[in-house]
């Protein structure tokens, strides 16, 4: 039976790896929860789950306020958000993981919420993103000049933001490893 919709393109399908990882993560959470419940009892396990959720709310409020304050300060100073934006995202992710029931998610949430350990998830996410970029888009980008004569232009503010005051002819080196 034809529905009138084209078949989904293979690159547009949801990632089966992501679905598998989420399914295995949920299964691991259930297994750990059952093991903890058999070790300390169901009542204490439920109490521990509620305590870690409350701790998650407290840490989310404290670290979230700090991260949003830093973002606001950078915006007022007209600076790029940089690491502060990543920290705010990690705080939000960590808070979500802490509030949801489960002990493995609580551990991952603590890694994202605490400033001392936030560098580890930041480095793992950066490595994942860089590994998925094409080689030509990975840094550093090297540009070589193709102009032989010197460029004349104002020298009092050569690197100010805004409209370009100086133009340099060049081309991007296709092989940055040289």
């Amino acid at each position: 039976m034809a529905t009138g919709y084209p078949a989904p393109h293979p690159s547009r399908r949801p990632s089966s790896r992501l679905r598998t990882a989420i399914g295995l993560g949920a299964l691991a959470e259930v297994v750990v929860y059952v093991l903890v419940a058999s070790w300390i009892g169901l009542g204490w396990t439920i109490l521990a789950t509620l305590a870690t959720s409350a701790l998650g709310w407290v840490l989310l409020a404290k670290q979230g306020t700090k991260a949003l304050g830093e973002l606001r300060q950078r915006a007022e100073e007209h600076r790029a958000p940089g690491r502060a934006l990543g920290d705010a995202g990690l705080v939000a992710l960590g808070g979500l993981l802490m509030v949801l029931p489960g002990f493995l998610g609580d551990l991952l949430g603590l890694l994202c919420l605490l400033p001392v350990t936030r560098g580890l998830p930041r480095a793992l996410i950066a490595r994942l993103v860089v590994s998925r970029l094409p080689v030509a888009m990975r840094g550093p980008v090297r540009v070589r000049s193709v102009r032989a004569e010197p460029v004349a232009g104002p020298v009092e503010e050569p690197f100010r933001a805004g409209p370009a005051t100086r133009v340099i002819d060049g081309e991007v080196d296709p092989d940055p490893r040289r």
Side-chain angles (χ1 to χ4, degrees), residues 45-121:
T45 304
I46 292 172
L47 201 60
T49 303
L50 293 174
T52 58
S53 291
L55 177 66
W57 281 112
V58 170
L59 287 174
L60 178 61
K62 184 177 179 183
Q63 294 299 319
T65 302
K66 186 186 292 186
L68 290 177
E70 187 176 343
L71 276 175
R72 187 177 303 114
Q73 179 184 6
R74 286 180 169 267
E76 289 171 356
E77 295 173 356
H78 300 290
R79 294 188 305 158
R83 181 172 277 189
L85 186 61
D87 283 348
L90 284 173
V91 165
L93 176 65
L96 175 69
L97 288 172
M98 286 286 294
V99 169
L100 293 175
F103 296 114
L104 296 178
D106 291 341
L107 289 175
L108 293 175
L110 274 176
L111 285 176
C112 294
L113 278 171
L114 298 177
V116 177
T117 58
R118 203 175 294 149
L120 179 64

